[in-house]
Amino acid sequence: MSDHITITLPDGSARQYAAGTTAGDVARSIGKRLAKAAVAAKVNGEEYDLERPLPDGATVSIITDDTPEGRHVLRHSTAHVMAQAVTQLFPGAKFSIGPAIENGFYYDFELPDGKTFSDADLEAIEAKMREIIAADQPFVRDEVTPEEALKLFADQPYKCEIIQRVTSGDAVDALDSGEVAAGETISVYRNTPEFVDLCRGPHVPSTGRLGHFKLQKVAGAYWRGNEKGPMLQRIYGTAWESEAALKAHLEMLAEAEKRDHRRLATELDLLSFPSEIGGGLAVWHPKGAIVRKLMEDYSRQRHQEGGYEFVYTPHLTKQQLFETSGHLDWYADGMYPPMEMDNGTYYMKPMNCPMHCLIFRSRQRSYRELPLRLFELGTVYRYERAGTLHGLMRIRGFTQDDAHIYCTREQAPEEIAGLLDFVLSVLRAFGFEDFTFNLSTKDPDKYVGTDEGWEEATAALRAALERHGLEYSVKEGDAAFYGPKIDIDVRDAIGRSWQLSTIQYDFNHPERFQLEYIGPDNNRHRPIMLHRALFGSVERFFGVLLEHYAGNLPTWLAPVQVRVLPVASAHEEYATRVAERIRAVGGRVDTVSASEQLGKRIRAAKLEKLPYILVVGDDDIANDTVGVNRRGGDKPERGVPVDDFVASLSREIELGATAALQA
């Protein structure tokens, strides 16, 4: 056995090290700055602990704490420390899973005697975690057999269930949570002889590498998301590579709380979620409905100009339709339970696409009709678990601006390119400029069709992105069961990312529905089907807009654009005449009588985030003027001629709408 190993660095250079060298040693040999920032390594594509010996011939890259992968390691390690703290403070506590998530981490617990965590408990847990971090305890990896693991976690039933699922080959949930990898051996990590956790890793070398964290809240969580299973308590936290990064994140969260669309929707009287209707189902109030109608009218106009044909489909359908489409095989958990009727079993539709396929199939089609672009503002219903519902962002009944394009294989590249342009123009129309593109590929365990078909479809989407010169990330295994997709995320005003628009390449539904067109050769051919949503869902897009603008919607979208306030009752008739002149040019305006003090009425109007507040008194009646309070303005403008204001408002509304249409 050689006493040296050779490794290859990301730049392609090869270096020799003594046998037993670790990734941490490599980082230290490169430089102090890299060694200080290092938290783990990627070795031949697999993540390694820094202190794990490297194999000969490995390709090695160092994972630093300010990268997404590095933050994941920091957060998962902090979750591990939180579990250690909880088991020390609450003897007999059972701990289940504790993965890193976007911007943070969580861990699920079951406390003895039905005890629940309080705010004071979170403070105590955080203090204990800081003691563990200050002790600089090493994370020590060990590999054990399944039998040894079961003995090691004999008093932890949730860990034992994970081990049993892994060894039986049913390890999807465990692998997704990042606790353990399937195989002959199972990895565990120890901080002290008293605490061991089941985990795939990697972790930071020692607890002293952590410390920039904050515990945030406690929530209920069913074990494995099963509503019939045990209810556990989930503690959420966030962790970062520096105190500055933690502070910036907490400040962003505080700003996000101010922008929460659920609070804004209530304050601005836009919509509500009555308990009598059920969770995840919204009713739209008049003001919210105005904004929604403007969004939908805009969408209809853009699609009409883009060569789409409008269709409508029912809200429920017989079971056979979703058997044909494959949704009952792959998506049944996300569908509402069936309804038994006198002539069969019916489902509320979770998707519009199967019905659009029936429209295509309703008569013989010619190649001259292709591409055929069908568009529907179609409402769908998906059974989201109660614990996952979140205002308009995660909802059970929503409307998609749903389009399906049927085209030839030769037409598909041009159609996809056009769809990318269409998506970006719509998102820009509503004020978004910062985009991220993700290409989702086949889930090896959840797909229909042939490998060759998937490769062709994925290549077509990849080529469209590259043709546009767009940088993109690949999400392995994240595609729908019927085809790969491009997801377009937007970054909002405070830096958060939202997944909104989707383009999918589908060669499976045309096959499953036996869709055909007659080609120029007079033979029958199978079309390609492209799925596309721009808003994603009208409801979710509306929620994102509210948070992006903090409720201060652009004038062309604002439900009430102008409010006219008479100083006293003697000025009310003039205020009404001013409102009528604004209404005559299409402005959305109201008046509020002088039954309350003017200052109180102005404050109320500002809280409603109205673009303009007009105040009228004696001088305005005499001179045909108004006082103008602009949203966000420093001070009111006095004596503005009504005609000038009306013309300016009309131009602003027209420019906003025109800019949206031309985006």
Side-chain angles (χ1 to χ4, degrees), residues 131-178:
E131 290 180 15
I132 295 169
I133 289 169
D136 199 20
Q137 299 171 1
F139 281 95
V140 179
R141 175 187 170 92
D142 195 10
E143 293 186 349
V144 297
T145 65
E147 294 75 18
E148 290 171 332
L150 288 171
K151 289 180 181 178
L152 195 59
F153 294 99
D155 62 342
Q156 293 293 335
Y158 300 108
K159 297 296 183 183
C160 288
E161 182 178 329
I162 293 171
I163 296 164
Q164 289 162 348
R165 288 170 67 86
V166 170
T167 54
S168 68
D170 185 16
V172 174
D173 290 345
L175 291 172
D176 285 348
S177 299

Short mmCIF file of all heavy atoms in Angstrom, two decimals, residues 131-178:
data_model
loop_
_atom_site.label_atom_id
_atom_site.label_comp_id
_atom_site.label_asym_id
_atom_site.label_seq_id
_atom_site.Cartn_x
_atom_site.Cartn_y
_atom_site.Cartn_z
N GLU A 131 -23.65 26.77 25.27
CA GLU A 131 -22.70 26.05 26.13
C GLU A 131 -22.00 24.94 25.35
O GLU A 131 -20.78 24.74 25.46
CB GLU A 131 -23.42 25.45 27.34
CG GLU A 131 -23.92 26.46 28.36
CD GLU A 131 -24.63 25.78 29.52
OE1 GLU A 131 -24.48 24.54 29.66
OE2 GLU A 131 -25.35 26.47 30.26
N ILE A 132 -22.78 24.19 24.58
CA ILE A 132 -22.22 23.10 23.78
C ILE A 132 -21.24 23.64 22.74
O ILE A 132 -20.16 23.07 22.50
CB ILE A 132 -23.36 22.31 23.11
CG1 ILE A 132 -24.22 21.61 24.17
CG2 ILE A 132 -22.82 21.30 22.10
CD1 ILE A 132 -25.52 21.04 23.64
N ILE A 133 -21.60 24.76 22.12
CA ILE A 133 -20.73 25.37 21.12
C ILE A 133 -19.44 25.86 21.77
O ILE A 133 -18.33 25.66 21.24
CB ILE A 133 -21.47 26.52 20.42
CG1 ILE A 133 -22.56 25.94 19.50
CG2 ILE A 133 -20.51 27.42 19.63
CD1 ILE A 133 -23.54 26.96 18.96
N ALA A 134 -19.58 26.49 22.94
CA ALA A 134 -18.39 26.99 23.65
C ALA A 134 -17.46 25.85 24.05
O ALA A 134 -16.23 26.04 24.13
CB ALA A 134 -18.81 27.78 24.88
N ALA A 135 -17.99 24.64 24.28
CA ALA A 135 -17.17 23.49 24.67
C ALA A 135 -16.36 22.94 23.51
O ALA A 135 -15.46 22.10 23.71
CB ALA A 135 -18.08 22.39 25.24
N ASP A 136 -16.66 23.39 22.27
CA ASP A 136 -15.91 22.99 21.08
C ASP A 136 -15.82 21.47 20.96
O ASP A 136 -14.76 20.91 20.73
CB ASP A 136 -14.52 23.61 21.10
CG ASP A 136 -13.87 23.61 19.72
OD1 ASP A 136 -14.61 23.50 18.72
OD2 ASP A 136 -12.63 23.71 19.64
N GLN A 137 -16.96 20.83 21.09
CA GLN A 137 -17.00 19.36 21.03
C GLN A 137 -16.83 18.88 19.59
O GLN A 137 -17.48 19.40 18.69
CB GLN A 137 -18.34 18.86 21.57
CG GLN A 137 -18.61 19.23 23.02
CD GLN A 137 -20.03 18.92 23.43
OE1 GLN A 137 -20.82 18.40 22.64
NE2 GLN A 137 -20.38 19.22 24.67
N PRO A 138 -15.97 17.91 19.34
CA PRO A 138 -15.78 17.42 17.97
C PRO A 138 -16.98 16.60 17.50
O PRO A 138 -17.60 15.88 18.28
CB PRO A 138 -14.53 16.55 18.08
CG PRO A 138 -14.49 16.10 19.50
CD PRO A 138 -15.07 17.23 20.31
N PHE A 139 -17.33 16.72 16.22
CA PHE A 139 -18.30 15.83 15.59
C PHE A 139 -17.53 14.60 15.11
O PHE A 139 -16.69 14.71 14.20
CB PHE A 139 -18.97 16.50 14.39
CG PHE A 139 -20.06 17.47 14.76
CD1 PHE A 139 -19.79 18.83 14.88
CD2 PHE A 139 -21.36 17.03 14.98
CE1 PHE A 139 -20.80 19.73 15.20
CE2 PHE A 139 -22.37 17.92 15.31
CZ PHE A 139 -22.09 19.27 15.42
N VAL A 140 -17.78 13.46 15.70
CA VAL A 140 -17.04 12.25 15.37
C VAL A 140 -17.95 11.29 14.61
O VAL A 140 -19.00 10.87 15.12
CB VAL A 140 -16.51 11.55 16.64
CG1 VAL A 140 -15.75 10.28 16.27
CG2 VAL A 140 -15.60 12.51 17.42
N ARG A 141 -17.57 10.98 13.38
CA ARG A 141 -18.36 10.09 12.53
C ARG A 141 -17.99 8.64 12.81
O ARG A 141 -16.82 8.31 13.02
CB ARG A 141 -18.09 10.41 11.06
CG ARG A 141 -18.77 9.48 10.06
CD ARG A 141 -18.28 9.80 8.65
NE ARG A 141 -18.72 8.78 7.70
CZ ARG A 141 -19.85 8.86 7.00
NH1 ARG A 141 -20.63 9.90 7.15
NH2 ARG A 141 -20.19 7.90 6.16
N ASP A 142 -19.00 7.77 12.81
CA ASP A 142 -18.78 6.34 12.96
C ASP A 142 -19.75 5.62 12.04
O ASP A 142 -20.82 6.15 11.73
CB ASP A 142 -19.00 5.91 14.41
CG ASP A 142 -18.42 4.51 14.68
OD1 ASP A 142 -17.70 3.99 13.80
OD2 ASP A 142 -18.70 3.96 15.76
N GLU A 143 -19.38 4.46 11.58
CA GLU A 143 -20.27 3.66 10.76
C GLU A 143 -20.60 2.38 11.49
O GLU A 143 -19.71 1.71 12.03
CB GLU A 143 -19.64 3.37 9.39
CG GLU A 143 -19.48 4.62 8.54
CD GLU A 143 -18.98 4.32 7.14
OE1 GLU A 143 -18.56 3.17 6.90
OE2 GLU A 143 -19.02 5.23 6.28
N VAL A 144 -21.88 2.04 11.54
CA VAL A 144 -22.35 0.87 12.28
C VAL A 144 -23.27 0.05 11.38
O VAL A 144 -23.79 0.54 10.38
CB VAL A 144 -23.11 1.29 13.56
CG1 VAL A 144 -22.19 2.02 14.52
CG2 VAL A 144 -24.32 2.16 13.22
N THR A 145 -23.47 -1.20 11.75
CA THR A 145 -24.41 -2.04 11.02
C THR A 145 -25.83 -1.67 11.44
O THR A 145 -26.05 -1.04 12.49
CB THR A 145 -24.18 -3.52 11.33
OG1 THR A 145 -24.47 -3.75 12.72
CG2 THR A 145 -22.73 -3.92 11.03
N PRO A 146 -26.83 -2.04 10.64
CA PRO A 146 -28.21 -1.76 11.06
C PRO A 146 -28.54 -2.35 12.43
O PRO A 146 -29.26 -1.71 13.21
CB PRO A 146 -29.03 -2.42 9.95
CG PRO A 146 -28.15 -2.38 8.74
CD PRO A 146 -26.76 -2.59 9.28
N GLU A 147 -28.02 -3.54 12.71
CA GLU A 147 -28.30 -4.16 14.01
C GLU A 147 -27.69 -3.34 15.14
O GLU A 147 -28.33 -3.12 16.18
CB GLU A 147 -27.75 -5.59 14.04
CG GLU A 147 -28.42 -6.56 13.09
CD GLU A 147 -28.01 -6.36 11.63
OE1 GLU A 147 -26.97 -5.70 11.39
OE2 GLU A 147 -28.74 -6.82 10.74
N GLU A 148 -26.47 -2.85 14.93
CA GLU A 148 -25.83 -2.02 15.95
C GLU A 148 -26.57 -0.69 16.11
O GLU A 148 -26.72 -0.19 17.23
CB GLU A 148 -24.37 -1.75 15.54
CG GLU A 148 -23.48 -2.99 15.64
CD GLU A 148 -22.10 -2.77 15.02
OE1 GLU A 148 -21.99 -1.93 14.09
OE2 GLU A 148 -21.15 -3.42 15.48
N ALA A 149 -27.05 -0.16 15.00
CA ALA A 149 -27.77 1.11 15.06
C ALA A 149 -29.07 0.96 15.85
O ALA A 149 -29.44 1.83 16.64
CB ALA A 149 -28.07 1.61 13.64
N LEU A 150 -29.77 -0.15 15.64
CA LEU A 150 -31.02 -0.37 16.38
C LEU A 150 -30.76 -0.47 17.87
O LEU A 150 -31.56 0.02 18.69
CB LEU A 150 -31.72 -1.63 15.86
CG LEU A 150 -32.36 -1.51 14.47
CD1 LEU A 150 -32.82 -2.87 13.96
CD2 LEU A 150 -33.53 -0.53 14.50
N LYS A 151 -29.66 -1.10 18.27
CA LYS A 151 -29.32 -1.17 19.70
C LYS A 151 -28.94 0.21 20.22
O LYS A 151 -29.32 0.59 21.34
CB LYS A 151 -28.14 -2.14 19.90
CG LYS A 151 -28.50 -3.60 19.69
CD LYS A 151 -27.27 -4.49 19.92
CE LYS A 151 -27.61 -5.96 19.67
NZ LYS A 151 -26.42 -6.84 19.84
N LEU A 152 -28.20 0.97 19.40
CA LEU A 152 -27.74 2.28 19.82
C LEU A 152 -28.91 3.23 20.07
O LEU A 152 -28.86 4.06 20.99
CB LEU A 152 -26.82 2.84 18.73
CG LEU A 152 -25.94 4.05 19.06
CD1 LEU A 152 -24.99 3.74 20.21
CD2 LEU A 152 -25.13 4.43 17.82
N PHE A 153 -29.95 3.09 19.25
CA PHE A 153 -31.11 3.99 19.37
C PHE A 153 -32.33 3.25 19.91
O PHE A 153 -33.47 3.60 19.57
CB PHE A 153 -31.42 4.61 18.00
CG PHE A 153 -30.35 5.53 17.50
CD1 PHE A 153 -29.41 5.08 16.57
CD2 PHE A 153 -30.26 6.83 17.96
CE1 PHE A 153 -28.42 5.93 16.10
CE2 PHE A 153 -29.27 7.69 17.50
CZ PHE A 153 -28.34 7.24 16.57
N ALA A 154 -32.10 2.29 20.76
CA ALA A 154 -33.20 1.48 21.28
C ALA A 154 -34.25 2.31 22.01
O ALA A 154 -35.43 1.94 22.03
CB ALA A 154 -32.65 0.39 22.21
N ASP A 155 -33.85 3.44 22.59
CA ASP A 155 -34.80 4.28 23.32
C ASP A 155 -35.33 5.43 22.46
O ASP A 155 -35.98 6.35 22.98
CB ASP A 155 -34.15 4.84 24.59
CG ASP A 155 -32.94 5.73 24.28
OD1 ASP A 155 -32.41 5.63 23.14
OD2 ASP A 155 -32.53 6.51 25.16
N GLN A 156 -35.05 5.38 21.15
CA GLN A 156 -35.50 6.43 20.23
C GLN A 156 -36.33 5.80 19.11
O GLN A 156 -35.80 5.41 18.06
CB GLN A 156 -34.30 7.20 19.66
CG GLN A 156 -33.52 8.02 20.67
CD GLN A 156 -34.36 9.18 21.21
OE1 GLN A 156 -35.28 9.65 20.56
NE2 GLN A 156 -34.02 9.64 22.42
N PRO A 157 -37.64 5.68 19.30
CA PRO A 157 -38.47 4.95 18.33
C PRO A 157 -38.47 5.53 16.93
O PRO A 157 -38.57 4.79 15.94
CB PRO A 157 -39.87 5.00 18.95
CG PRO A 157 -39.82 6.17 19.91
CD PRO A 157 -38.42 6.21 20.42
N TYR A 158 -38.37 6.84 16.81
CA TYR A 158 -38.40 7.44 15.48
C TYR A 158 -37.11 7.13 14.71
O TYR A 158 -37.13 6.89 13.50
CB TYR A 158 -38.62 8.95 15.58
CG TYR A 158 -39.93 9.27 16.27
CD1 TYR A 158 -39.94 9.81 17.56
CD2 TYR A 158 -41.14 9.00 15.66
CE1 TYR A 158 -41.14 10.08 18.21
CE2 TYR A 158 -42.34 9.27 16.30
CZ TYR A 158 -42.34 9.80 17.58
OH TYR A 158 -43.52 10.06 18.22
N LYS A 159 -35.98 7.14 15.40
CA LYS A 159 -34.72 6.76 14.75
C LYS A 159 -34.77 5.29 14.34
O LYS A 159 -34.31 4.93 13.24
CB LYS A 159 -33.55 7.00 15.70
CG LYS A 159 -33.34 8.46 16.09
CD LYS A 159 -32.97 9.32 14.90
CE LYS A 159 -32.70 10.77 15.32
NZ LYS A 159 -32.41 11.63 14.16
N CYS A 160 -35.33 4.44 15.20
CA CYS A 160 -35.43 3.01 14.86
C CYS A 160 -36.29 2.80 13.62
O CYS A 160 -35.97 1.97 12.76
CB CYS A 160 -36.00 2.23 16.03
SG CYS A 160 -34.84 2.05 17.42
N GLU A 161 -37.37 3.58 13.49
CA GLU A 161 -38.22 3.44 12.31
C GLU A 161 -37.46 3.84 11.05
O GLU A 161 -37.58 3.19 10.00
CB GLU A 161 -39.48 4.29 12.46
CG GLU A 161 -40.43 4.14 11.29
CD GLU A 161 -41.72 4.93 11.45
OE1 GLU A 161 -42.17 5.12 12.61
OE2 GLU A 161 -42.26 5.37 10.42
N ILE A 162 -36.66 4.91 11.14
CA ILE A 162 -35.85 5.32 9.99
C ILE A 162 -34.88 4.21 9.60
O ILE A 162 -34.74 3.87 8.42
CB ILE A 162 -35.09 6.62 10.30
CG1 ILE A 162 -36.06 7.79 10.46
CG2 ILE A 162 -34.07 6.93 9.20
CD1 ILE A 162 -35.41 9.06 10.97
N ILE A 163 -34.22 3.63 10.60
CA ILE A 163 -33.26 2.55 10.33
C ILE A 163 -33.95 1.37 9.67
O ILE A 163 -33.45 0.80 8.69
CB ILE A 163 -32.56 2.11 11.64
CG1 ILE A 163 -31.73 3.27 12.21
CG2 ILE A 163 -31.69 0.89 11.41
CD1 ILE A 163 -31.34 3.07 13.66
N GLN A 164 -35.11 1.00 10.17
CA GLN A 164 -35.84 -0.13 9.60
C GLN A 164 -36.30 0.15 8.18
O GLN A 164 -36.26 -0.74 7.32
CB GLN A 164 -37.04 -0.47 10.50
CG GLN A 164 -36.61 -1.09 11.84
CD GLN A 164 -37.71 -1.03 12.89
OE1 GLN A 164 -38.72 -0.35 12.73
NE2 GLN A 164 -37.51 -1.76 13.98
N ARG A 165 -36.71 1.38 7.91
CA ARG A 165 -37.13 1.73 6.56
C ARG A 165 -35.95 1.69 5.59
O ARG A 165 -36.08 1.27 4.44
CB ARG A 165 -37.77 3.13 6.55
CG ARG A 165 -39.14 3.16 7.19
CD ARG A 165 -39.62 4.59 7.37
NE ARG A 165 -39.89 5.25 6.12
CZ ARG A 165 -41.05 5.19 5.47
NH1 ARG A 165 -42.04 4.49 5.96
NH2 ARG A 165 -41.23 5.84 4.33
N VAL A 166 -34.78 2.16 6.06
CA VAL A 166 -33.59 2.13 5.22
C VAL A 166 -33.19 0.69 4.90
O VAL A 166 -32.93 0.34 3.75
CB VAL A 166 -32.42 2.88 5.89
CG1 VAL A 166 -31.13 2.63 5.13
CG2 VAL A 166 -32.72 4.37 5.94
N THR A 167 -33.17 -0.14 5.91
CA THR A 167 -32.72 -1.52 5.70
C THR A 167 -33.72 -2.34 4.90
O THR A 167 -33.35 -3.32 4.27
CB THR A 167 -32.44 -2.21 7.05
OG1 THR A 167 -33.62 -2.11 7.88
CG2 THR A 167 -31.28 -1.55 7.76
N SER A 168 -34.99 -1.90 4.89
CA SER A 168 -35.99 -2.61 4.09
C SER A 168 -36.03 -2.10 2.66
O SER A 168 -36.77 -2.61 1.83
CB SER A 168 -37.38 -2.46 4.73
OG SER A 168 -37.82 -1.12 4.63
N GLY A 169 -35.26 -1.03 2.38
CA GLY A 169 -35.23 -0.45 1.05
C GLY A 169 -36.25 0.64 0.82
O GLY A 169 -36.29 1.26 -0.23
N ASP A 170 -37.09 0.91 1.84
CA ASP A 170 -38.11 1.96 1.72
C ASP A 170 -37.58 3.20 2.41
O ASP A 170 -38.06 3.61 3.45
CB ASP A 170 -39.40 1.47 2.38
CG ASP A 170 -40.54 2.46 2.19
OD1 ASP A 170 -40.41 3.35 1.33
OD2 ASP A 170 -41.54 2.36 2.92
N ALA A 171 -36.57 3.84 1.78
CA ALA A 171 -35.82 4.88 2.49
C ALA A 171 -36.02 6.28 1.92
O ALA A 171 -35.28 7.18 2.24
CB ALA A 171 -34.33 4.55 2.45
N VAL A 172 -37.05 6.46 1.10
CA VAL A 172 -37.20 7.74 0.41
C VAL A 172 -37.31 8.89 1.39
O VAL A 172 -36.63 9.90 1.29
CB VAL A 172 -38.43 7.71 -0.53
CG1 VAL A 172 -38.67 9.08 -1.13
CG2 VAL A 172 -38.21 6.69 -1.63
N ASP A 173 -38.20 8.76 2.39
CA ASP A 173 -38.40 9.86 3.33
C ASP A 173 -37.13 10.14 4.11
O ASP A 173 -36.76 11.28 4.34
CB ASP A 173 -39.53 9.53 4.31
CG ASP A 173 -40.88 9.53 3.62
OD1 ASP A 173 -40.95 10.06 2.50
OD2 ASP A 173 -41.84 9.01 4.20
N ALA A 174 -36.46 9.09 4.54
CA ALA A 174 -35.24 9.28 5.33
C ALA A 174 -34.17 9.96 4.51
O ALA A 174 -33.49 10.87 4.98
CB ALA A 174 -34.74 7.93 5.84
N LEU A 175 -34.03 9.52 3.27
CA LEU A 175 -33.01 10.12 2.43
C LEU A 175 -33.32 11.58 2.14
O LEU A 175 -32.44 12.43 2.15
CB LEU A 175 -32.90 9.34 1.11
CG LEU A 175 -32.34 7.92 1.23
CD1 LEU A 175 -32.49 7.20 -0.10
CD2 LEU A 175 -30.89 7.93 1.66
N ASP A 176 -34.59 11.89 1.90
CA ASP A 176 -34.97 13.27 1.62
C ASP A 176 -34.67 14.17 2.81
O ASP A 176 -34.33 15.34 2.66
CB ASP A 176 -36.46 13.36 1.30
CG ASP A 176 -36.77 12.85 -0.11
OD1 ASP A 176 -35.80 12.66 -0.86
OD2 ASP A 176 -37.94 12.65 -0.43
N SER A 177 -34.80 13.64 4.03
CA SER A 177 -34.55 14.45 5.21
C SER A 177 -33.07 14.54 5.54
O SER A 177 -32.67 15.33 6.39
CB SER A 177 -35.31 13.86 6.41
OG SER A 177 -36.69 13.86 6.15
N GLY A 178 -32.26 13.71 4.88
CA GLY A 178 -30.82 13.85 5.04
C GLY A 178 -30.26 13.19 6.28
O GLY A 178 -29.16 13.51 6.72
#
